[in-house]
Amino acid sequence: MTGRPMAPPASWLGTAIASCTMIGVAAAALWSVTFGLRGWTAEAIRRLRVPTDPPQLQALRLDTSTGISLVPWGNREATPRIWLVTFMYTRCPTFCSVLGIEFERLQRQLTADPRNAGIGLLSISFDPAHDDVQALQRYATAHHAEPGRWIVAVPDSRAALARIERQAGVVVIDDGFGGFAHNAAIHVVRADGRLVRIFDLNQPEAALAWARTQRESR
Amino acid sequence: MGTNTTRITLTLGRRQAMLAALITGAAILSSRSWLEADMARHMLIEFPLLLIAGLATAKALPERAVALIMRFNQLGLAGFTFVSLTAAYWMIPVALDQALLSAPAAAAKYTSFLAAGMLLPFSFQAAPLAMQAFFVGNWVWMTATVGLLYQNTPQQLCVNYLFGTQLAAGEGLVAAAIAIAALWCVYAVPAYLDMNR
């Protein structure tokens, strides 16, 4: 016996089976992670998945800018409404203030058109450390939110916030400047707690039109 | 006597390799949250560290295990296939997000990179230059292309990563592609030619 190990016998059949198995497993993983090759980013897939597989959001208790406690969906207390929901934090200098302006515009449309009765706007803060009732109130006042139309609120506990984020697929990360970055969108949520559609921030009209069809179909 | 010396060094080498694998593994686990908080660190430090841990594991494997791997690794094909698939899969933005949001996906990431690192030396050993050129070349253009895509996409690709770290990751991937192409030309090719003279 020599110090050098003998070259082990290699088999083409074994190699072919091994390689093809790996390719098969990788293809299956790719198919599953990209939602059937329909999306390459988590956010695109989240939005694509919702219409066919609407997530059930658990009942959520919110503290609102007007100082009341509210459950928007998911239990008997829930207001029978279709909600257009966005997640935000009041100190947000970019997206959320654009969103605030968009919601302000939507609110005017809601009020102007009686077909929009039963559709509500809801801004949920994911920053309970800063967004107390006063902060929410300042935001609501700055954007002329009417409490009957547009609710600005924060979940009543950290656990409730974490749960709604997880169930809706909202991911909030530190932006490195003391603020947050998040996958901002307009979420259409029915009174039974089903998240049925997700629209881009720049499509508030589409979100409203779709919410109206939901209301009419009930 | 020469044989004995070789065997002793081999045994020592194996132990040292196992130690190196364990140390690298521990380093990754202990700095995991820091490594994974930034897209560039995740892809350009953690992935290579996992490959290195796998590489060290390869050196620590008993000969019987090596023989078994080589049986299924004619000309290095299966090993290179695995490495390519692993590298490609974890460059998909949603896969990278999944690795942060789901424990099974994270486990799959660690395991696949460790295994890829472990298979890499066996494949280089078994592969003729043409096979090496094919897989290294493919990895290089794929990685460079993904790097350019990361830099040129106007939107944030991962829900867990800021746009800025996506740009850095993109630049890093292009640099890594160039570096690996150069390393292969400078080290692997002459080593292969030397061995087969």
Side-chain angles (χ1 to χ4, degrees):
Chain A
M1 201 178 151
T2 64
R4 274 174 75 107
M6 275 192 349
S11 125
W12 266 121
L13 182 65
T15 302
I17 292 172
S19 303
C20 290
T21 310
M22 288 169 189
I23 292 170
V25 171
L30 179 70
W31 183 265
S32 140
V33 80
T34 60
F35 195 50
L37 299 181
R38 277 182 277 177
W40 297 95
T41 66
E43 182 57 10
I45 291 164
R46 180 175 83 107
R47 295 179 187 191
L48 284 168
R49 202 187 282 277
V50 157
T52 48
D53 183 18
Q56 177 69 54
L57 308 182
Q58 263 174 273
L60 173 73
R61 187 165 289 283
L62 301 168
D63 297 327
T64 73
S65 63
T66 52
I68 61 161
S69 173
L70 170 99
V71 179
W73 56 70
N75 74 3
R76 262 181 227 151
E77 262 181 74
T79 340
R81 273 192 178 178
I82 305 284
W83 294 101
L84 300 183
V85 184
T86 60
F87 294 84
M88 56 89 187
Y89 66 112
T90 62
R91 293 174 300 140
C92 176
T94 54
F95 270 148
C96 323
S97 60
V98 175
L99 193 75
I101 293 161
E102 288 291 356
F103 259 33
E104 205 175 327
R105 215 157 49 75
L106 273 188
Q107 179 176 248
R108 277 199 297 274
Q109 289 187 27
L110 287 181
T111 321
D113 192 335
R115 287 179 303 159
N116 293 332
I119 298 173
L121 305 178
L122 174 58
S123 297
I124 300 178
S125 165
F126 49 71
D127 185 16
H130 287 91
D131 290 343
D132 51 12
V133 172
Q134 284 77 34
L136 296 175
Q137 213 164 32
R138 277 195 298 277
Y139 181 89
T141 310
H143 292 289
H144 312 104
E146 298 163 21
R149 279 293 185 189
W150 178 4
I151 286 160
V152 179
V154 64
D156 70 343
S157 71
R158 299 259 173 172
L161 173 61
R163 194 170 59 227
I164 181 70
E165 284 180 3
R166 194 178 62 248
Q167 289 170 348
V170 171
V171 179
V172 179
I173 54 173
D174 201 318
D175 74 353
F177 302 100
F180 302 99
H182 61 113
N183 46 349
I186 302 174
H187 306 73
V188 185
V189 182
R190 291 194 315 222
D192 64 359
R194 286 277 177 194
L195 165 55
V196 283
R197 280 289 189 287
I198 301 175
F199 289 90
D200 206 76
L201 283 189
N202 57 23
Q203 297 181 295
E205 268 79 21
L208 179 59
W210 203 83
R212 207 184 284 150
T213 66
Q214 282 292 294
R215 196 185 51 86
E216 282 159 5
S217 70
R218 284 163 69 87
Chain B
M1 204 180 130
T3 312
N4 279 344
T5 325
T6 321
R7 228 174 248 166
I8 287 161
T9 6
L10 263 180
T11 323
L12 277 178
R14 198 170 284 167
R15 272 203 201 135
Q16 285 158 348
M18 209 178 296
L19 195 66
L22 285 175
I23 290 171
T24 318
I28 297 167
L29 280 182
S30 59
S31 54
R32 197 187 142 190
S33 54
W34 179 80
L35 286 170
E36 294 177 1
D38 175 297
M39 191 168 174
R41 287 200 296 263
H42 192 173
M43 300 188 81
L44 295 152
I45 303 177
E46 193 189 79
F47 289 1
L49 279 178
L50 285 165
L51 287 173
I52 289 169
L55 220 100
T57 316
K59 297 279 173 207
L61 283 182
E63 263 162 51
R64 203 176 296 169
V66 175
L68 185 71
I69 289 172
M70 293 317 272
R71 249 187 77 71
F72 294 93
N73 200 20
Q74 178 92 298
L75 303 190
L77 180 64
F80 277 141
T81 303
F82 188 84
V83 176
S84 300
L85 291 171
T86 301
Y89 184 82
W90 297 111
M91 285 198 272
I92 301 169
V94 60
L96 204 60
D97 264 331
Q98 283 290 312
L100 295 163
L101 297 172
S102 118
K109 184 194 74 185
Y110 295 123
T111 325
S112 58
F113 270 111
L114 283 173
M118 193 189 74
L119 292 172
L120 212 48
F122 299 131
S123 281
F124 269 104
Q125 245 169 53
L129 209 51
M131 182 77 96
Q132 294 185 21
F134 177 76
F135 278 100
V136 173
N138 258 317
W139 181 85
V140 165
W141 80 253
M142 172 179 77
T143 305
T145 307
V146 170
L148 291 175
L149 278 174
Y150 282 2
Q151 293 175 65
N152 290 313
T153 311
Q155 86 255 34
Q156 185 187 322
L157 289 171
C158 289
V159 290
N160 285 288
Y161 290 123
L162 297 173
F163 190 66
T165 79
Q166 173 181 319
L167 291 181
E171 286 163 6
L173 285 179
V174 174
I178 295 168
I180 293 293
L183 278 177
W184 182 72
C185 293
V186 173
Y187 288 104
V189 176
Y192 182 86
L193 296 176
D194 254 7
M195 235 168 54
N196 293 279
R197 206 163 19 208

